[in-house]
Amino acid sequence: MSNANMLLLSSSMIYGHSYLEHVRDTVVEFLPAGSRVAFVPWALEDYDRYTDTTATAMQALGISVTGIHTVASPQELLDGVDAIFVGGGNSFRLLKALYEHDLIDEVRARVTSGKLAYMGSSAGTNMSCPSLRTTNDMPIVQPPSFDAFNLIPFQINPHYQDPDPTSTHMGETREQRIAQFLEENDVAVVGLREGAWLRRIGDSLTLGGSVGARLFQRDSEAVEYTEGADLSFLLKLEPRFDSRAGGQPL
Amino acid sequence: MSNANMLLLSSSMIYGHSYLEHVRDTVVEFLPAGSRVAFVPWALEDYDRYTDTTATAMQALGISVTGIHTVASPQELLDGVDAIFVGGGNSFRLLKALYEHDLIDEVRARVTSGKLAYMGSSAGTNMSCPSLRTTNDMPIVQPPSFDAFNLIPFQINPHYQDPDPTSTHMGETREQRIAQFLEENDVAVVGLREGAWLRRIGDSLTLGGSVGARLFQRDSEAVEYTEGADLSFLLKLEPRFDSRAGGQPL
């Protein structure tokens, strides 16, 4: 039985709404007034500005925020807060910084034991997966490994976009990119549309937001899930990376 | 003075046209009838099928194609052909395979000395750059390094797409992703639209195709170039990777 308490957002904003506005009620349930949060801004270039934006939005909900980049010991900060919120931006830059600050195992241990709640948006949601391998981001810097926090046994593709049937672009659709991922890895992928989120409480996993999500698995048709769907079965899967489906060896 | 002879396509196809059709005249100039080509299909899962497609298209131009995956010694094959054609697909998968077959230095030496002409499309064009850091692809597998063939001193973003002013998507536009790249790297990026290509003959570099390209450099406005533009100055640039522009250290 797991003690993990997690909120994983596809994005921190949806079109026409302010930062975290679309998920306000869920954030309030996840982080009651008075909660203290360590914010990780490393996915964007300007840490102070990003932390300010987050602190302002959270303050309105009675939540206090400290930028993890402002303290001498991130580990000590994590011991003194209720939750970590890993913000979005570029996931390669984020993961590189997490390794440079030796935080992968530190965060994982605290979240799996239930001592620290985990909130992510976009790249921060991607970090909760076993690997960043389903990110949409440009690999602008090289992290030492693609392995991430591994707090769930499946992958999430944030900002999931359905194929546009009118498109004349020859580059891969998101669906085709995920199909390529499944050629190399036997790991479930949740395509989480903007406005959707996953809420994990221990061994229970629920889909939130009105836009739904799509589940991709090797040798299966994609399956559509709607708001409130019980996705707890995903927490029992065993991911198998680098297990080429067919054809010739890489 | 360089002896490199290169043709770098944004994509192998454009909407409504068959494989390599849009660039047929340029391919014929680059690879005269009777040329022998080693084809690298590793960016896609099905090597045989991809090689067949390419061989069929090339055969119509009098060019013979051998899949590099069909020979015991890729190095020997490269010694016996006029050109290498690195096909598109997933650039992480492609680069991983190039490392596994120890081909990075082998190809680089032959192309820079002028012994081997280099043709790339999409991921194959990305491979000619110093790094894969400006790819659009999903990092479905982890190559040992992001360093690529380094046959030119700047980066290319294939399948470049202009921002869509009507979009409600909150994920980064291509332009924003390239801006993130420039935050971390002081390296010029050519956004090569589908249907455009670069033709290098020694120290000369020319833009081909009617759709144009966009040049992105740190601390500069993006510059638009049109068909026939002389881009030779790009060959004299000195790329500086991992040189953060401002803000806080990563």
Side-chain angles (χ1 to χ4, degrees):
Chain A
M1 155 125 198
S2 166
N3 291 309
N5 181 23
M6 302 172 66
L7 175 59
L8 303 173
L9 313 178
S10 174
S11 60
S12 59
M13 258 195 274
I14 58 172
Y15 186 75
H17 292 260
S18 63
Y19 187 70
L20 297 178
E21 188 185 344
H22 69 288
V23 71
R24 191 193 146 99
D25 292 351
T26 301
V27 171
V28 167
E29 173 266 315
F30 175 68
L31 294 172
S35 295
R36 296 151 304 165
V37 171
F39 180 64
V40 179
W42 290 322
L44 288 188
E45 190 189 31
D46 191 334
Y47 307 151
D48 288 338
R49 190 163 55 175
Y50 197 10
T51 302
D52 283 351
T53 303
T54 303
T56 303
M58 291 291 207
Q59 211 162 24
L61 309 177
I63 301 161
S64 66
V65 168
T66 305
I68 201 163
H69 67 294
T70 63
V71 300
S73 167
Q75 286 77 7
E76 255 177 55
L77 176 66
L78 295 180
D79 287 332
V81 296
D82 304 295
I84 185 171
F85 175 19
V86 184
N90 184 286
S91 56
F92 290 88
R93 174 155 61 187
L94 172 59
L95 187 55
K96 184 168 185 239
L98 289 169
Y99 275 103
E100 282 174 356
H101 292 89
D102 268 327
L103 283 173
I104 300 290
D105 293 339
E106 295 279 346
V107 170
R108 181 175 157 69
R110 286 169 174 82
V111 175
T112 52
S113 70
K115 283 184 193 159
L116 187 71
Y118 186 98
M119 176 169 163
S121 70
S122 190
T125 286
N126 214 163
M127 286 307 104
S128 72
C129 304
S131 163
L132 64 46
R133 294 190 193 198
T134 51
T135 181
N136 310 306
D137 297 336
M138 196 172 263
I140 60 172
V141 294
Q142 187 181 340
S145 165
F146 286 0
D147 294 347
F149 287 134
N150 193 23
L151 298 169
I152 50 177
F154 60 93
Q155 289 290 132
I156 295 171
N157 176 246
H159 299 274
Y160 178 73
Q161 284 186 295
D162 296 288
D164 170 6
T166 69
S167 172
T168 60
H169 186 66
M170 301 304 287
E172 289 88 347
T173 64
R174 192 67 62 79
E175 205 171 41
Q176 286 167 334
R177 295 181 193 284
I178 293 171
Q180 286 182 340
F181 171 84
L182 292 174
E183 286 170 1
E184 303 294 336
N185 308 283
D186 191 1
V187 181
V189 181
V190 175
L192 206 56
R193 295 190 185 91
E194 292 182 353
W197 60 85
L198 296 177
R199 181 76 179 91
R200 176 178 186 173
I201 302 175
D203 296 324
S204 151
L205 185 75
T206 314
L207 177 63
S210 60
V211 289
R214 238 171 138 68
L215 175 63
F216 300 89
Q217 289 183 277
R218 183 181 283 180
D219 301 328
S220 306
E221 290 289 304
V223 181
E224 183 72 30
Y225 288 95
T226 54
E227 189 169 14
D230 181 356
L231 299 179
S232 306
F233 67 94
L234 292 176
L235 297 174
K236 299 194 182 103
L237 296 178
E238 286 184 24
R240 295 196 308 130
F241 288 90
D242 295 311
S243 60
R244 185 163 256 240
Q248 289 122 322
L250 179 58
Chain B
M1 157 122 195
S2 166
N3 291 310
N5 182 21
M6 303 172 67
L7 175 60
L8 304 173
L9 313 178
S10 174
S11 60
S12 60
M13 258 194 275
I14 58 172
Y15 186 75
H17 291 260
S18 63
Y19 187 69
L20 296 178
E21 188 185 345
H22 69 289
V23 70
R24 191 194 147 97
D25 293 349
T26 302
V27 171
V28 167
E29 173 267 315
F30 175 67
L31 294 173
S35 295
R36 297 151 303 165
V37 170
F39 181 64
V40 179
W42 290 322
L44 288 188
E45 189 189 32
D46 191 333
Y47 308 151
D48 288 338
R49 190 163 55 175
Y50 196 10
T51 302
D52 283 350
T53 302
T54 303
T56 303
M58 291 290 207
Q59 210 162 25
L61 309 178
I63 301 161
S64 67
V65 167
T66 306
I68 202 163
H69 66 293
T70 64
V71 299
S73 166
Q75 285 78 6
E76 253 176 58
L77 175 66
L78 295 181
D79 287 333
V81 296
D82 304 295
I84 184 171
F85 176 18
V86 184
N90 183 285
S91 55
F92 290 89
R93 174 156 59 190
L94 172 58
L95 186 56
K96 184 168 186 239
L98 289 169
Y99 275 104
E100 284 175 355
H101 292 89
D102 269 327
L103 282 172
I104 299 290
D105 294 339
E106 296 279 345
V107 169
R108 180 175 158 67
R110 285 168 174 82
V111 175
T112 53
S113 70
K115 282 185 193 159
L116 188 71
Y118 185 98
M119 177 169 163
S121 71
S122 190
T125 286
N126 214 162
M127 286 305 105
S128 72
C129 303
S131 162
L132 64 47
R133 293 191 193 198
T134 51
T135 181
N136 311 307
D137 296 337
M138 197 173 261
I140 61 172
V141 294
Q142 186 180 341
S145 165
F146 286 0
D147 296 346
F149 287 134
N150 194 22
L151 298 168
I152 51 176
F154 59 94
Q155 290 289 132
I156 295 171
N157 176 247
H159 299 276
Y160 178 74
Q161 284 186 294
D162 295 288
D164 170 6
T166 68
S167 172
T168 60
H169 186 65
M170 301 304 286
E172 289 87 348
T173 64
R174 192 67 61 79
E175 205 171 40
Q176 287 168 334
R177 296 182 192 284
I178 292 172
Q180 286 182 339
F181 171 84
L182 291 175
E183 287 170 1
E184 302 294 336
N185 309 282
D186 191 1
V187 181
V189 181
V190 175
L192 206 55
R193 294 190 186 91
E194 292 181 354
W197 60 85
L198 295 177
R199 181 76 178 93
R200 177 179 185 172
I201 303 175
D203 296 323
S204 151
L205 186 74
T206 313
L207 177 63
S210 60
V211 289
R214 236 170 140 68
L215 175 63
F216 300 89
Q217 289 183 278
R218 181 182 285 181
D219 301 328
S220 306
E221 290 288 305
V223 181
E224 184 72 30
Y225 288 94
T226 54
E227 189 168 15
D230 181 356
L231 299 179
S232 305
F233 67 94
L234 292 176
L235 298 174
K236 299 193 182 105
L237 296 179
E238 286 184 24
R240 297 197 308 131
F241 287 90
D242 295 312
S243 60
R244 183 163 258 240
Q248 289 122 323
L250 178 58

